[in-house]
Amino acid sequence: METYDWIVVGGGITGAALAYELVKAGFSVILLERQGKPQNATRYSYGGLAYWSGTTPMTCQLCREAIARYKILSQELDADIQFRELDLLLTIPADSDPEVTAASYAHLATPPRLLTIQEACELEPLLNQKAIAGALTIKHGHIHPEQTTQAYIQAFLHAGGKMQIAQVLELQTTQQAEKRTGGEVRFTGVKTTTATFHSANIVICAGGLSRQLLKSAGIPIQLYFSHAEIIKTPPVDLRLDTLVMPANLQRFQLEAESTQVDELWNEPGNQPVAPILDAGAVQFLDGSLVLGQISRTLTDPDAKVNSEESEKWLRQSVGEILPALGDLPGTWHHCLVAFSNNRLPLIGAIPGFTGVHVFSGFSNPLVIVPPLAKRFAKFITGEEDEIIALMSPTR
């Protein structure tokens, strides 16, 4: 029987960072990931780090901690995470008022600067000047998400952690009678396709699959997911100078609207709101690009979408802004993206259940995962943390 202090479920950047911080804090930890090469949100992420986007003292504090963390992370993990700064270009549609769009960013910690059409095209020569009324720009952090995750995992393993590639079948409890009568349930382990692992503490970092996994264990939680679709290209000779995103980003509005009626998420086959497309592009240091993305709030995590229609929609929309990118060779990909109902993640023990925690629902994950993973690991050793408390599922 294998027993650990903590079982971490999910090997994306959230699970990898948290497993590493837990081992550093002195716990014995096993990290469970269902796929050898995960098809998750980390793999298909743009890799952007919006340090400038804090809106409250708490989020500004986390952004400051993230900057400091990322600056030393390659050295600490002994691996290149490709941390750098890019010019972020937020394109404003031709039929929009640039001044109004710029004003919508005024509440952020560091509002981006408004550019004319000419200035935007000088910064990014691949832009279609007829498709924009201008743009906003700001310096934006960037990493390679997969390499950062692998760096965390390797450092976790070197520090004494253990990892198993296996699908979680169920969360186990020895108190079935209490479960039936409504008493508090104590979870004691995880059954997978390869073995059963025991622990006094399980933390779910399974991204878009977290809600389904917890529901199967009888645990209700206000955690949601979208089906995200992108096109990923092989390395190309063409060079994109900036990271391009729409200024009028629709994804956050989609997340807010789709969580108004939680009951809709309890059954597959629902689509709380219509799908949206945010046309953007980023190029990694090896020359490959990610183009996208479509977001769909389909309540079945296994829902199928028409990849041909999606790819056509993506290529057409990206091509309107960046004509040279629309027809590049590339492959359509799909993953799940977890989010909460207020853009803050759910972190901590789940009320009414002993031994099970959650660390998921990050709308802006790459920035705040590292500082929050570090804070959570300290929090469970007994160190008080107001920020972790504010992100509790009981909030």
Side-chain angles (χ1 to χ4, degrees), residues 117-128:
I117 297 174
Q118 181 179 346
E119 289 171 332
C121 292
E122 288 174 355
L123 193 62
E124 181 48 73
L126 296 182
L127 276 178
N128 174 13

Side-chain angles (χ1 to χ4, degrees), residues 196-230:
T196 297
F197 303 98
H198 298 272
S199 176
N201 297 286
I202 304 163
V203 58
I204 306 301
C205 309
L209 293 172
S210 296
R211 183 183 177 106
Q212 181 187 49
L213 182 58
L214 290 165
K215 181 183 177 183
S216 69
I219 303 174
I221 193 164
Q222 291 187 330
L223 191 60
Y224 311 93
F225 54 89
S226 61
H227 294 253
E229 303 166 58
I230 57 98

